Amino acid sequence: MAHAAPVSGITTRTTRPPNLFSARAHAIGRWAGPLALGLVYGYWAAADRRGGGPITGWNVLFGFVTTIVFTVVLSAVLMVGPRLRREQHAALWFAFIGVAFGFLYSQSGRAIVPTVGLSLGIAIVAGLFCFYWFYTHEDAVGRRVR
């Protein structure tokens, strides 16, 4: 005679956790977060390019253009990434982190071979970490598992 398997004491969450912030705060955070990271990235790129010399108008312009481009690309990665499968999502972050680090490192005046090698190494580590994260937190289609 067959018996039912014993029920474990583990329960799964069927409801979402409470939302502490309003919809307006979340909407502001969707662009304020990438903008804050973009400002830090743009300042860092301009400071690397300046190399300790005087601050010029072209250096400030370079920093602001870098901020705008980084913010737009990061926002695109954050919007498009969750719609992709986990392998493509990890590959997107691999490419973004590799290019962002490579560009930042190249502004310090280093040769191209060490720049490409180091940025490729950083991108591989970040891509593997992202793949592991998405593999353990998403199903095969890309939906987050709760």
Side-chain angles (χ1 to χ4, degrees):
M1 183 167 265
H3 296 284
V7 178
S8 68
I10 300 173
T11 59
T12 58
R13 183 188 304 215
T14 58
T15 61
R16 295 180 65 125
N19 194 356
L20 300 177
F21 299 106
S22 67
R24 182 172 184 254
H26 283 284
I28 291 172
R30 274 197 245 0
W31 63 264
L35 180 62
L37 288 174
L39 285 169
V40 170
Y41 187 84
Y43 173 75
W44 197 335
D48 277 351
R49 187 175 194 143
R50 184 169 50 93
I55 298 174
T56 63
W58 289 113
N59 187 254
V60 172
L61 179 66
F62 175 77
F64 279 120
V65 169
T66 304
T67 296
I68 292 168
V69 170
F70 183 86
T71 302
V72 168
V73 173
L74 178 59
S75 296
V77 167
L78 290 172
M79 285 192 311
V80 171
R83 297 178 186 168
L84 300 174
R85 297 184 54 163
R86 58 186 171 205
E87 296 87 2
Q88 297 165 336
H89 196 177
L92 182 67
W93 278 106
F94 162 82
F96 175 74
I97 291 171
V99 170
F101 182 81
F103 176 75
L104 200 59
Y105 192 70
S106 71
Q107 296 307 309
S108 61
R110 302 283 199 270
I112 191 72
V113 174
T115 300
V116 170
L118 191 58
S119 61
L120 190 60
I122 296 286
I124 287 172
V125 169
L128 288 173
F129 175 78
C130 288
F131 178 75
Y132 174 77
W133 180 265
F134 299 140
Y135 191 79
T136 57
H137 288 79
E138 294 178 355
D139 62 3
V141 184
R143 292 183 302 261
R144 293 204 173 145
V145 178
R146 297 233 178 218

